[in-house]
Amino acid sequence: MMQDDMILHNIGKLYTFPGEGPVPGTMMDSPSIIEGAAVTVSAGKIHMVAGEPEVWDRTDLMKDAVCIDCKGKCLVPGFVDPHTHLVFAGTREYELPMKLKGATYLDILNAGGGILRTVKDTRAASLEELVEGLDLRLDKMLRYGTTTVEIKSGYGLDRDTEIKLLKTVKASKHPIEKVPTFLGPHAVPPEFRHDPNAFIDLMIDVAREVSGEGLAEFADIFCETGAFDEKQSRRFLSAARDAGLKVKVHSDEIMNLGGTIAGADLGASSADHLLVSDDHDLDAMKEAGTVPVLLPGTLLTIFEQRVPRAREMMDRDLPVAIATDINPNCMVENLQFIMALACYRLKMTPNEILAASTVNAAHAIGRSGRKGRIREGYDADLLVMKDHSFEHVVYNFGVNHVEKVILGGKLLLDNVGW
Ligand code: NIG
Ligand code: FE
């Protein structure tokens, strides 16, 4: 019989979602909320989830097992952040006054700022410096309950630096689970301003190399005016897919160039941003099983008043996910803050937000059989919260509601402050 090395008892409410795979939009408001449960962990995996008396009865606890008294507080799956640009050097606070005076995101990019400024700083940084910056941000994320994170390259825009960025992700020893994405076509670098198609050719070669070396699981492209058009997006993503990478797309953030449909046609795991998506885009995602990943923090930092159509997406049973999109233009590690924005701006309910930042987020990055649920056989990534119910995370926003972080069956953080 399997011995348990951890038990969590005295749990008030345990939140998870029934079934397997993504939770369709109309089911996102209906988590399983189990009262009086206990959970055991064995070798990093969840072993038992049942009523507390039954668990105590059935468990074979190791002598030095960790016993966690949850004190009647709620237990939720570790949060999954499915869209980040975490590897970069430098900062961009200097752009704030420009934005406040009315410069748009694309104005700043066209003037050589924005992504291109970060590319300059990142090309000049060593792998060690990049790992240090990455780990610092991962530490902050872990304190706010993020236990799995997708990480994009994209501030190299040349072969060597893009590879360096993906190697940075591999070199990090941080315990958070990291899912690397090759986002070589993030912007057109100055060297290729007069021939963006040649840059796509180069990035296709790099995608093949990255896939062959096992440096990334996904490929992504920024399909936007000032970045890449629909044709370039299709060409890059289909070549990347043929090279063995799964695909994603940044689409419909500012202009609708057809990137969402291009992604869906190629079986994209997710399409991200989606501010100006139309009905055809939503239908295409539904048909293809593409997860819409919404990024409400980015809307704030580009001073965008409109919001994506989260409710309509959920009404169509799309498995909506949310993410920080942390990048030098949107410096937010705290997914709980994004959850509050999802409520107050996208009008998602706290239960929908929990689905969007656990199980559906896991599905968007190819982890839905292992992350995002409190279920036997899943990874033991668990958060003991400070509250009796999950709603408090969005209700009392701007503070940290996580009390304990368990990742891969290990109690990594305890008594986390507000
Ligand atoms: O997802 N939109 C494209 N890329 C990032 C922003 C990157 C940057 O401004 O540095 C995003 O928002
Ligand atoms: Fe992004």
Side-chain angles (χ1 to χ4, degrees), residues 156-167 206 209:
L157 310 184
D158 61 29
R159 180 208 166 268
D160 291 0
T161 316
E162 287 296 319
I163 302 257
K164 176 174 74 177
L165 297 181
L166 293 170
K167 287 195 169 157
V206 181
E209 184 178 347

Side-chain angles (χ1 to χ4, degrees), residues 83 85 92 105 115 155 186 222 250 253 273 298 325 327-329:
H83 180 139
H85 305 251
R92 303 229 299 269
Y105 183 78
I115 294 174
Y155 293 112
H186 191 196
F222 188 20
H250 278 70
E253 176 179 1
H273 283 295
T298 312
D325 192 21
N327 69 67
N329 185 56

Side-chain angles (χ1 to χ4, degrees), residues 126-145:
S126 69
L127 185 123
E128 293 68 33
E129 288 164 336
L130 290 166
V131 172
E132 194 183 320
L134 170 62
D135 285 352
L136 181 68
R137 295 188 272 271
L138 288 170
D139 271 343
K140 294 191 210 168
M141 296 174 98
L142 188 69
R143 285 192 60 249
Y144 288 103

Side-chain angles (χ1 to χ4, degrees), residues 76-80 145-148 357-358 372 381-383 406:
V76 300
F79 301 143
V80 178
T146 298
T147 50
T148 302
S357 42
T358 56
D381 299 348
L382 303 163
L383 306 176
I406 295 144

